[in-house]
Amino acid sequence: MANSKYEYVRNFEREEILLPNTWIVVRIDGRGFHKLSNFYAFAKPNDPRALHLMNHAATYVVQSIPDIILGYGVSDEYSFVFHRSTTLFERRKDKIVTTVVSAFTAAYVLGGDEYFVKEGEGGGKVLSMEMLPTFDGRAVCYPTWENLRDYLRWRQVDCHINNLYNTTFWTLVQQGGMTQTEAEEHLKGTVSGDKNEILWSRFGINYNNEPEMYKKGSVVFREYALEESISRNEGQETGKAEESAEIDGEEGSAVPAVVSKTQMEKQRKARRKAKVVTRHVDVIKDDFWIQRPWLQSGKPGRLIDDTGRVESRS
Amino acid sequence: MANSKYEYVRNFEREEILLPNTWIVVRIDGRGFHKLSNFYAFAKPNDPRALHLMNHAATYVVQSIPDIILGYGVSDEYSFVFHRSTTLFERRKDKIVTTVVSAFTAAYVLGGDEYFVKEGEGGGKVLSMEMLPTFDGRAVCYPTWENLRDYLRWRQVDCHINNLYNTTFWTLVQQGGMTQTEAEEHLKGTVSGDKNEILWSRFGINYNNEPEMYKKGSVVFREYALEESISRNEGQETGKAEESAEIDGEEGSAVPAVVSKTQMEKQRKARRKAKVVTRHVDVIKDDFWIQRPWLQSGKPGRLIDDTGRVESRS
Amino acid sequence: MANSKYEYVRNFEREEILLPNTWIVVRIDGRGFHKLSNFYAFAKPNDPRALHLMNHAATYVVQSIPDIILGYGVSDEYSFVFHRSTTLFERRKDKIVTTVVSAFTAAYVLGGDEYFVKEGEGGGKVLSMEMLPTFDGRAVCYPTWENLRDYLRWRQVDCHINNLYNTTFWTLVQQGGMTQTEAEEHLKGTVSGDKNEILWSRFGINYNNEPEMYKKGSVVFREYALEESISRNEGQETGKAEESAEIDGEEGSAVPAVVSKTQMEKQRKARRKAKVVTRHVDVIKDDFWIQRPWLQSGKPGRLIDDTGRVESRS
Amino acid sequence: MANSKYEYVRNFEREEILLPNTWIVVRIDGRGFHKLSNFYAFAKPNDPRALHLMNHAATYVVQSIPDIILGYGVSDEYSFVFHRSTTLFERRKDKIVTTVVSAFTAAYVLGGDEYFVKEGEGGGKVLSMEMLPTFDGRAVCYPTWENLRDYLRWRQVDCHINNLYNTTFWTLVQQGGMTQTEAEEHLKGTVSGDKNEILWSRFGINYNNEPEMYKKGSVVFREYALEESISRNEGQETGKAEESAEIDGEEGSAVPAVVSKTQMEKQRKARRKAKVVTRHVDVIKDDFWIQRPWLQSGKPGRLIDDTGRVESRS
């Protein structure tokens, strides 16, 4: 019994290949998380259990896909950055996006009970088929390092704007006794300074002391030994120049570099040994990136052993 | 603090819209399920727990997305058919594909322990972060009903070919004492008849008596009261004509029909009341489809109540 | 000297394949033809020389690409319909669109002097580099015959609406002594009936007597012996049924029919012998299509020889 | 009479937007030019009339589309480079590609008689509907300057390889009395050195003395006052550094620079005044580009007036 008679239907399949030599960002978003956060009684404006679960799932994604240099998460969204040199799945878009979405979902759901219940203060609810957490996703290509940096800046600025709003809003409701409608009205037309002022003068809250995870979001990446940040040490405004040097190095190698098999195997091992960490830090300015040149270069940095000793340069 | 400075990065996003008035098939595939089936000790060649878990997840997907008329699953893959008239997510491809993949993954993982452990005969293993089940996915458009039917025929013929092979292969190994290499050698160049003969003459196994789920795969859909299959009742070869009539009805309405809000609400309720069932039946021939005209028309059929009584035609 | 070092740049090329089994429409549009029509002193509202030149170029396109079943033109635009079964250039979009645009442009420019000057009444201008006629183009896929028919209906209804407006507008200007602004004001809010009335009562013009080319546009296609239009002969409303039968025939053959090489060669010869004609007829109703079943089927009809005799059915 | 009933067909149209901040290359290719070159009796291996006609058409394209920084042509193909900052037609792919193809075709056909006949040595043939020259086209995006440079290197290396082969091949046939098959056999397996040797030792031809247009192809661009090429003047290997500096400047401005209307108008005027020239020079090494920084920056250089005087820097 031959199958060939119907196999013509494969000709209807389309395969989109993402443009080579561009940074690929896969961004996932929780579907209907407003409703879901009520169902599982997430704390407002930020539920640490829920955010830790997001970070847990993101860590799994970064660990299992070495081509990802970094994940950045805030609220119910996470962006994963693939190095511009990646050839994972021959850069097939659907395969890349769905693999990330599925891995993230799987880790989120399996971790659900642990984070929802055990970390909760008694009120945790186990995951239920009635309200399954799901995520959609998309891929975007960025042709230059600066475009990519601006993408991450966009997300982190958004995080700041939303968190300041939400913190003030829920403080007005939870401590100020306003209804949600009243709080919304109250905040109409206010700028950042106004909100900081409301928090401070009426509730004694210094926004700067809020947890970094809420203010900055979460950055998930492989950590190696930090390089010195020249701009910080020298007290000079040389961050820009430093960064440009990086760009040259990378942009210059337009002809795809041929890495020997031995080298690739070595890099793979280094990546596997590297710890995937979660940090709540600024990614808008240059310091974070200057100290971690492996993010832009895609080449593993120097490992740190358990005693904190850095391996020597090879 | 304005966000607009970086917001230009949104211009790099691309949105693919699937061609209107075509049948959309989203097919998902288990990633690395060969390794996974060893890790969780799935039975060979078919593990009923694993297949039931696939059907469980597919049922969740069909239930939560009413635009899906049918799912067809075999082994670690599942195809979901969206009616050609769907406007879900404005037919945005990424949104449709990732939503299906994420919902399927979530239901599979949450259901994992129940199916893996409780249904197993003692050897079940709970789901572990070491080996998370994940799925990739893709969307394909089919312009005509016959193209779609041929797609499903392709998958079901594939199911038959693979299952006959696997059944014979594992019987040779498990009951015939062959190594896997020997069994592979032994089956080289054999046709269906040869494999049936091996099973019967050497092991007394009549392939026709194998479980339908293994031979036919699984069809998941909303069941209403069946229409009479003229071809069967009349004993005439009129199946084709019948089907063509259906096609006319549909293809004729090129101008998208405007359905009133009341009607749509009524249809939505009918769909919600309809039971999503799993059947292991032939979808290659016409009978299945003639008896269930709602699959092609996209309009709900007549509901069956708990006592088996069919509601009267409205 | 090897070229391989730079050849990696080919990996950046993308090839879009148009969905199989769909009707492909390539529509071309004159670029800046408002300005161009002033430069070459086209008559308003319709310049027969310019329209004949469009038809001349379209005829060249239809003659040189046998996969095109029909062209439909109005003003400075032309739509070319490729049969759904075409595999020209493996259905690569860019290749199909640019080939049509280039062939149309070449024929238009080469024919320019003949049509612009020789047919003009003295005032013709030869083509000049100062104002080269150019066209852009796009491809659209339509999954069903009715969608395609509606596309052509859309264009022909548009032709009617625009021509009635333009005829009235320019009559008010040229014969009624209005400025263009006055004429525009005068026609604001008018419906078809109003414009017909203005033409008739004020200028004694019966719009129905205007040239068919202006009212209906131009249809360019291979003509064979007409089939009888049942709906006309029988005086019955059976056009729909007839048409549906056509649809069945076509839609039923979802598995791409294998045509023998001898047959294909025969069909190619028949197409080459067939005369490509230009008609100014209704394509909204069914008659045109019922009489010319070869347009939908894609199979050549019966040829008419020079004496008007129809070849016998083979 | 409303048109809205059929207007739904517009929903089937797709619009592809080329990725922002990437270099766009539109490459056009002559269709069936082997046959066409025989029909119009082009000289072998290079016909100067035909090449001048290609350059004439390319000049028209570059002149009429200011967003194009450069065209590079060889044989019957031409590549046009749009600056990465272009927003022409909102970067809609079909519009960009078909406009280039149509403009090129129009200029080629209108110029045809002049170049084919008047420049010919008596044997010229006027353009005929029997053999219309047509071109297909495609667009490719390159994310970095180096990728773009490599694209042009690829084409120019190809030009060299093909021209050396063709020159030797046709010399063997025209002066060596070989048949085409014999010449092909003779050249099998030869490398560049072998072909140079054949030309020199058997026919006294020094390949280096062949016309630059044949060996290097044609580069069409806006010429301004040249900048000094540091690498040449200083005799140092600093070309790379210079170039990198350029890259920094450009890549750094990831946020699209806002150019004032006055400035844009000024730049437009400068471009219009700049002479579009055709040169047959090396584009593989850096010199050409270092001397003409306006190609990479997209900003007009300093104009040269008729007396050869360079305008002062503004």
Side-chain angles (χ1 to χ4, degrees), chain B residues 119-139:
Chain B
E119 291 202 0
E121 291 121 16
K125 225 176 185 173
V126 295
L127 268 181
S128 143
M129 286 294 283
E130 269 180 79
M131 186 63 72
L132 273 185
T134 59
F135 300 85
D136 59 39
R138 60 172 65 229

Side-chain angles (χ1 to χ4, degrees), chain B residues 15-222:
Chain B
E15 203 66 87
E16 192 183 342
I17 303 294
L18 296 169
L19 193 68
N21 202 17
T22 56
W23 300 92
I24 302 169
V25 173
V26 174
R27 182 171 75 244
I28 64 158
D29 277 282
R31 301 196 56 239
F33 261 50
H34 187 73
K35 220 169 134 190
L36 182 135
S37 69
N38 288 332
F39 185 89
Y40 290 114
F42 286 1
K44 307 279 185 188
N46 293 290
D47 186 312
R49 297 172 309 162
L51 293 176
H52 286 143
L53 179 53
M54 290 292 288
N55 295 342
H56 160 78
T59 300
Y60 174 74
V61 169
V62 173
Q63 266 168 346
S64 55
I65 307 178
D67 304 61
I68 296 177
I69 60 163
L70 176 138
Y72 175 74
V74 43
S75 181
D76 63 344
E77 77 165 47
Y78 238 100
S79 301
F80 296 97
V81 180
F82 287 74
H83 196 266
R84 71 189 306 155
S85 65
T86 188
T87 54
L88 184 70
F89 306 137
E90 296 91 51
R91 297 178 78 96
R92 279 181 286 157
K93 190 180 85 166
D94 291 343
K95 192 104 175 168
I96 288 174
V97 176
T98 54
T99 295
V100 169
V101 165
S102 187
F104 193 93
T105 305
Y108 190 99
V109 172
L110 189 62
D113 288 348
E114 185 178 349
Y115 284 89
F116 280 17
V117 183
K118 296 195 190 142
E119 291 202 0
E121 291 121 16
K125 225 176 185 173
V126 295
L127 268 181
S128 143
M129 286 294 283
E130 269 180 79
M131 186 63 72
L132 273 185
T134 59
F135 300 85
D136 59 39
R138 60 172 65 229
V140 190
C141 290
Y142 290 104
T144 67
W145 176 247
E146 277 303 308
N147 290 147
L148 172 66
R149 287 286 307 279
D150 283 347
Y151 171 82
L152 293 167
R153 285 174 180 127
W154 175 50
R155 299 322 304 140
Q156 196 165 47
V157 168
D158 224 44
C159 166
H160 170 75
I161 292 171
N162 291 332
N163 190 58
L164 178 55
Y165 182 92
N166 292 336
T167 303
T168 318
F169 176 89
W170 286 104
T171 304
L172 286 170
V173 170
Q174 292 163 348
Q175 304 185 25
M178 285 189 185
T179 65
Q180 294 194 23
T181 316
E182 286 165 354
E184 208 184 321
E185 267 312 305
H186 196 73
L187 291 176
K188 235 173 223 170
T190 57
V191 295
S192 295
D194 302 333
K195 297 192 194 77
N196 274 305
E197 181 60 22
I198 291 171
L199 286 171
W200 177 245
S201 62
R202 294 179 49 179
F203 304 99
I205 295 171
N206 184 343
Y207 182 74
N208 290 330
N209 295 339
E210 288 293 294
E212 293 296 308
M213 180 163 71
Y214 303 169
K215 289 185 302 179
K216 298 252 180 21
S218 299
V219 197
V220 173
F221 57 95
R222 280 174 197 78

Side-chain angles (χ1 to χ4, degrees), chain A residues 75-208:
Chain A
S75 183
D76 62 345
E77 77 166 46
Y78 239 100
S79 300
F80 295 97
V81 180
F82 287 75
H83 195 267
R84 69 189 308 155
S85 67
T86 187
T87 54
L88 184 68
F89 307 137
E90 295 90 51
R91 296 178 79 96
R92 280 181 286 158
K93 190 179 85 167
D94 291 343
K95 191 104 175 167
I96 287 173
V97 176
T98 55
T99 295
V100 169
V101 166
S102 186
F104 192 93
T105 306
Y108 191 98
V109 172
L110 189 63
D113 287 349
E114 185 179 349
Y115 285 89
F116 280 18
V117 183
K118 296 194 191 144
E119 292 203 0
E121 291 120 18
K125 225 178 185 171
V126 296
L127 269 182
S128 142
M129 288 292 287
E130 268 180 79
M131 186 63 72
L132 273 186
T134 59
F135 301 84
D136 58 40
R138 61 173 64 231
V140 191
C141 289
Y142 290 103
T144 68
W145 176 248
E146 276 306 306
N147 289 147
L148 172 67
R149 288 285 308 278
D150 284 347
Y151 172 82
L152 293 167
R153 286 175 179 124
W154 175 51
R155 298 323 302 141
Q156 195 165 50
V157 169
D158 222 46
C159 167
H160 170 75
I161 293 172
N162 290 333
N163 189 59
L164 177 55
Y165 181 92
N166 291 336
T167 303
T168 318
F169 176 89
W170 285 105
T171 304
L172 286 170
V173 170
Q174 291 163 350
Q175 303 184 28
M178 285 190 184
T179 65
Q180 295 193 22
T181 316
E182 286 165 354
E184 208 186 319
E185 267 312 306
H186 196 75
L187 291 176
K188 235 173 224 169
T190 57
V191 295
S192 296
D194 301 333
K195 297 192 193 78
N196 276 306
E197 181 60 22
I198 291 172
L199 286 171
W200 177 246
S201 62
R202 293 179 51 180
F203 304 99
I205 295 171
N206 184 343
Y207 181 75
N208 290 331

Side-chain angles (χ1 to χ4, degrees), chain C residues 1-3 5-16 27 31 56 60 89 92-95 97-99 101-107 109-111 113 127-143 146-148 150-151 153-155 157-158 160-161 191-192 284, chain D residues 1-3 5-16 27 31 56 60 89 92-95 97-99 101-111 113 127-143 146-148 150-151 153-155 157-158 160-161 192 284:
Chain C
M1 188 172 196
N3 203 357
K5 189 178 161 194
Y6 304 125
E7 234 170 344
Y8 80 91
V9 296
R10 301 208 66 170
N11 295 332
F12 293 74
E13 299 186 3
R14 295 285 161 267
E15 203 66 87
E16 192 184 342
R27 181 170 77 242
R31 301 196 55 240
H56 159 79
Y60 174 74
F89 307 138
R92 280 181 286 157
K93 190 179 85 167
D94 291 343
K95 191 107 176 166
V97 176
T98 55
T99 295
V101 165
S102 187
F104 193 93
T105 305
V109 171
L110 189 63
D113 288 348
L127 269 181
S128 144
M129 287 293 284
E130 270 179 78
M131 186 63 73
L132 274 186
T134 58
F135 299 85
D136 59 40
R138 62 172 65 232
V140 191
C141 289
Y142 289 105
E146 276 305 306
N147 289 146
L148 172 66
D150 284 346
Y151 172 82
R153 285 176 180 124
W154 176 50
R155 299 323 303 139
V157 169
D158 222 45
H160 170 75
I161 292 171
V191 295
S192 295
I284 294 173
Chain D
M1 188 172 197
N3 203 356
K5 190 179 160 192
Y6 304 124
E7 235 170 343
Y8 79 92
V9 296
R10 300 208 67 170
N11 295 331
F12 293 74
E13 298 185 3
R14 296 286 161 267
E15 203 68 87
E16 192 184 342
R27 181 171 76 241
R31 300 196 56 240
H56 159 79
Y60 174 74
F89 307 136
R92 279 181 286 157
K93 190 180 83 167
D94 291 343
K95 192 105 176 166
V97 177
T98 55
T99 295
V101 166
S102 187
F104 193 92
T105 305
Y108 191 99
V109 171
L110 190 63
D113 288 349
L127 268 182
S128 144
M129 287 294 284
E130 269 179 77
M131 186 63 73
L132 274 186
T134 58
F135 300 84
D136 57 40
R138 62 171 65 230
V140 191
C141 290
Y142 289 104
E146 276 304 306
N147 290 146
L148 172 67
D150 283 346
Y151 172 83
R153 286 175 180 127
W154 175 52
R155 299 321 303 138
V157 169
D158 222 45
H160 169 75
I161 291 172
S192 296
I284 294 173

Side-chain angles (χ1 to χ4, degrees), chain D residues 283-304:
Chain D
V283 295
I284 294 173
K285 293 196 232 82
D286 295 334
D287 266 10
F288 174 81
W289 306 97
I290 295 173
Q291 295 180 313
R292 296 169 182 84
W294 59 86
L295 296 172
Q296 189 178 4
S297 73
K299 286 170 216 133
R302 287 173 298 149
L303 289 166
I304 318 168

Side-chain angles (χ1 to χ4, degrees), chain D residues 83 85-87 253 255-269 271 297-300:
Chain D
H83 195 265
S85 66
T86 188
T87 54
S253 60
V255 182
V258 181
V259 179
S260 77
K261 282 215 170 172
T262 331
Q263 252 182 309
M264 264 178 62
E265 191 46 45
K266 217 173 145 187
Q267 293 191 359
R268 202 175 297 133
K269 270 189 197 158
R271 276 198 203 92
S297 73
K299 286 170 216 133

Side-chain angles (χ1 to χ4, degrees), chain C residues 155-208:
Chain C
R155 299 323 303 139
Q156 196 165 49
V157 169
D158 222 45
C159 167
H160 170 75
I161 292 171
N162 290 334
N163 190 59
L164 178 56
Y165 181 91
N166 291 337
T167 303
T168 318
F169 176 88
W170 285 104
T171 303
L172 287 169
V173 170
Q174 291 163 351
Q175 304 185 26
M178 284 189 184
T179 65
Q180 295 193 23
T181 317
E182 286 166 353
E184 207 185 320
E185 268 311 307
H186 196 74
L187 291 176
K188 237 172 221 169
T190 57
V191 295
S192 295
D194 302 332
K195 299 192 193 76
N196 275 306
E197 182 60 21
I198 290 172
L199 285 171
W200 177 246
S201 62
R202 293 179 51 178
F203 304 99
I205 294 171
N206 183 343
Y207 181 74
N208 288 330

